[in-house]
Amino acid sequence: MPRTAYVNGRYVPHRRAAVHVEDRGYQFADGVYEVIAVQGGWLVDLEPHLRRLARSLGELAIPRPMSDAALRHVLAEVRRRNRVQDGMVYLQVTRGIAARDHAWPKGLKPALVVTAKSSKGPPAEAREKGVSVLSMPDLRWKRCDIKTTSLLPNVLAKQAARDGAAFEALFVDEAGRVTEGSSTNVWIVTKKGRLLTRAPDAAILNGITRQAVIALARAAGFEFEERAFTLREVRNAAEAFLTSTTAFIVPVIAIDGTRIGDGTPGPLTRRLNTRYRDYVARAVRAGDRRHAS
Ligand code: PDD
């Protein structure tokens, strides 16, 4: 089935979808994006994604390309036209098209692209057996809370991880503390059974999956704290895992070749994983009910 993309007001065949050479996203990575998971035909946690998009746009003074109601419609339509049941919807807003100049002209119209793709998420083996990760210096700018398409350090880190047969690269700041993965948030469980993830400061993206898992951990009464932890604490942890829209929850069983815990996905990680899957399944069922009514 041919894929369809939405580009600046039009639904076009994916293979012919194109933006202008002077789109500032292309020239300066002057834009923001969201990746939204699709499960059972429903966009998972759409509202928090829209809120984060609005925040990213606001922080960069890029006007909203359309109302949230119109955007919900376009996202649903791109999903529908591509018949995605399980996969993701990608949306990108750039500052717009203008003759190349670092500063931008007044009244620029933002450019919007939306695509959708079927996918099965990370391989079952990664989710069931866990993955290895590498650590790397965090070379990024000081506003990683903004979901910008300027992802060069993330791209290089992920490639280095892949070249090293690892699933993810964990960024470490100058104080030796882990910030986040190249496209994931990082969690550990200490040997005392305390669940930790970094507080949402400017050094990390406040992941939507991260927020959902925090709510589930709190509801389950797990001992939980939002605080930064060091690379050493990861090495000494009982368990570790990653969260993101595309990975959901992936257990980490080794870092830089050192085993974490007993080298298998830990019990708390497994319990959270079950709870997260139930949460998504409930959302899908609720969506189906809304659709039927
Ligand atoms: N990445 N941190 C970074 C740097 C990320 O790029 C992502 C997501 C996350 C997790 O956020 P969320 O739970 O909202 O997906 C954390 C997306 C999936 C990507 O770039 O493809």
Side-chain angles (χ1 to χ4, degrees), residues 33 35 52 147 180 182-185 205 207-209 244-246:
Y33 74 108
V35 181
R52 185 171 66 186
K147 198 162 172 64
E180 61 184 335
S182 72
S183 67
T184 54
N185 290 117
L205 182 76
I208 304 301
T209 322
S244 86
T245 293
T246 43

